[in-house]
Amino acid sequence: MQIKVKPAENLKQKPQDESKLGFGRLFTDHMLTVQYKAGIGWHNAEIRPYENFSLSPAALVFHYSQTIFEGLKAYRTPDGIKLFRPWDNFKRMNVSARRLCIPEIDEKFALDALVQLLRIEQDWVPHSEGTSLYIRPTIIATDPYLGVKAGEEYIFYIILSPVGAYYASGLEPVDIYVEDEYVRSVVGGMGFAKTGGNYAASLIAGELAHKMGYSQVLWLDGKERKYVEEVGSMNIFFKIRGELFTAPLEGTILAGITRDSVIRLAKEVFGVNVREERLAIADIFEEHEKGGLEEVFGTGTAAVISPVGGMKWEDKVIRINGGKMGELTRQLYDKLTGIQYGREEDIFGWTMTI
Ligand SMILES: *Cc1c(COP(=O)(O)O)cnc(C)c1O
């Protein structure tokens, strides 16, 4: 498929102060859009000025949440602009697409289109340490129809947003609230898909946690509310007596690309045993009592690695590693960001330069 390019007439001012970028509020001059219609397939690929869509108020996506998204970043490095495992994002987008009855995209076309968009927008990739250009591929069902059914018309689009560090507090450890009432997903549900509905379901717990002074919610399994699953938009790891534990991929959590990268780095670079196993929250708190809980951290593209300094579950509050970032957390963070920003050798072939 050929991509038509319609350049923007007026370019926006690039942000002057990169320390104030924040996350996801500014967008670049152009976006990619591709349309889908049953019987025709994906067609009409365009790189065009970033602007509002005009959609029917009846569009399926507004009513029944038939939408999926992805999140990845472009990094400015000494050897040019790099992407980190972008092929895995488009592969996962198709996993989500199948779950939500959305037509699959051609992964190779999507990556080529992204590279073409990034070449046009490359001046938007910020320069300062820790900053990047966040990439948000999305698909929405646009049919103007109030019946519940899978759409026959879709838009696949990619927008770009220059971002600073994800958390206002930088790499400072965060406190998380273990949610024991609401659940995020269950086996057979769509917890493994990157879709708006999962986030809509999570908002109420997030709001309550914020009110109590916690920045994130740790979800327990949807059936017994016993085993740890993931945190907001991150997977979670626990270092207990020298070993790393993280929830297994059983359909209820997102298969994070950062999660997978951390598992490989921990095993193959740092020689740490990694156990993808169910882990009960009660056992974690008990290990803390006995001095066995060494480090806790979340992983995800937006935040990379986020140390957890404290956790509240029921009426128990614990401090982890004295509320400070752990040593393995720091090593994994340095190695992973080192590869992403081109400071470290890309031993696993994870990056591509555009
Ligand atoms: C995106 C996301 C993650 C992290 O995935 P990465 O590929 O590492 O960015 C984790 N959990 C949820 C619910 C997510 O949406």
Side-chain angles (χ1 to χ4, degrees):
M1 201 186 333
Q2 277 292 105
I3 302 174
K4 206 175 350 153
V5 180
K6 284 193 204 154
E9 276 171 24
N10 301 304
L11 299 185
K12 299 172 196 168
Q13 254 230 3
K14 309 265 181 325
Q16 299 294 303
D17 183 355
E18 292 189 348
S19 71
K20 296 206 171 69
L21 282 175
F23 183 85
R25 290 186 191 281
L26 284 173
F27 300 96
T28 69
D29 295 304
H30 299 89
M31 62 181 176
L32 170 87
T33 58
V34 190
Q35 286 172 295
Y36 180 93
K37 210 174 170 67
I40 302 177
W42 290 108
H43 66 285
N44 196 16
E46 288 185 311
I47 290 174
R48 57 181 174 114
Y50 181 96
E51 63 186 353
N52 294 348
F53 286 132
S54 172
L55 296 176
S56 163
L60 280 176
V61 64
F62 295 143
H63 303 272
Y64 309 121
S65 299
Q66 199 190 6
T67 173
I68 54 176
F69 66 96
E70 271 303 324
L72 64 160
K73 284 173 169 176
Y75 306 87
R76 192 173 288 284
T77 83
D79 324 314
I81 292 164
K82 281 188 201 288
L83 293 170
F84 184 75
R85 303 181 65 176
W87 41 83
D88 289 319
N89 289 93
F90 291 116
K91 197 166 148 191
R92 185 171 68 189
M93 191 162 210
N94 275 339
V95 171
S96 301
R98 287 192 286 274
R99 178 63 181 80
L100 278 106
C101 298
I102 289 172
E104 289 179 44
I105 49 157
D106 178 330
E107 293 165 28
K108 191 180 168 307
F109 166 78
L111 182 50
D112 289 348
L114 170 60
V115 168
Q116 206 174 317
L117 176 64
L118 286 170
R119 288 200 178 125
I120 291 171
E121 300 292 65
Q122 54 184 295
D123 291 347
W124 280 95
V125 182
H127 297 74
S128 329
E129 171 104 39
T131 62
S132 56
L133 187 66
Y134 185 78
I135 301 161
R136 172 53 63 88
T138 308
I139 302 179
I140 54 174
T142 56
D143 311 41
Y145 177 60
L146 290 182
V148 177
K149 64 155 195 146
E152 294 183 13
E153 293 168 21
Y154 298 86
I155 302 174
F156 166 50
Y157 61 92
I158 301 180
I159 54 175
L160 307 172
S161 173
V163 298
Y166 187 66
Y167 291 105
S169 50
L171 247 193
E172 286 300 297
V174 296
D175 286 340
I176 59 178
Y177 179 79
V178 183
E179 177 56 55
D180 57 4
E181 183 186 354
Y182 298 106
V183 300
R184 176 184 170 275
S185 80
V186 291
V187 176
M190 56 183 191
F192 65 89
K194 219 168 166 69
T195 180
N198 287 332
Y199 280 84
S202 77
L203 294 175
I204 188 166
E207 293 287 303
L208 293 171
H210 282 154
K211 279 197 192 116
M212 289 183 282
Y214 293 87
S215 62
Q216 297 273 326
V217 169
L218 170 59
W219 298 102
L220 301 177
D221 74 280
K223 195 173 171 199
E224 298 178 73
R225 285 173 237 184
K226 187 171 164 192
Y227 302 102
V228 293
E229 296 228 309
E230 62 178 324
V231 173
S233 53
M234 295 190 291
N235 296 109
I236 190 156
F237 288 78
F238 300 87
K239 181 164 172 267
I240 299 173
R241 301 184 191 278
E243 291 184 310
L244 265 189
F245 289 80
T246 195
L249 302 177
E250 292 176 337
T252 55
I253 64 167
L254 213 277
I257 294 164
T258 321
R259 173 188 181 279
D260 185 70
S261 307
V262 159
I263 291 173
R264 288 201 61 189
L265 289 173
K267 284 183 184 167
E268 295 173 42
V269 175
F270 298 107
V272 175
N273 194 35
V274 182
R275 295 169 58 171
E276 292 176 65
E277 290 171 18
R278 286 185 166 200
L279 184 61
I281 186 71
D283 292 346
I284 294 170
F285 274 67
E286 195 186 315
E287 278 296 350
H288 179 265
E289 287 275 290
K290 296 193 286 194
L293 179 64
E294 294 156 355
E295 302 181 28
V296 182
F297 59 89
T299 64
T301 296
V304 195
I305 287 179
S306 183
V308 175
M311 292 204 289
K312 176 178 166 68
W313 173 51
E314 295 176 340
D315 55 357
K316 298 181 268 296
V317 177
I318 59 174
R319 292 268 95 209
I320 298 140
N321 193 36
K324 295 193 306 292
M325 166 151 46
E327 194 190 327
L328 181 63
T329 309
R330 159 68 68 187
Q331 286 173 321
L332 288 164
Y333 178 83
D334 287 346
K335 194 77 190 176
L336 190 53
T337 54
I339 293 171
Q340 290 168 336
Y341 286 92
R343 294 187 296 265
E344 297 255 0
E345 195 194 335
D346 179 12
I347 42 177
F348 297 110
W350 279 339
T351 64
M352 83 176 263
T353 308
I354 68 152

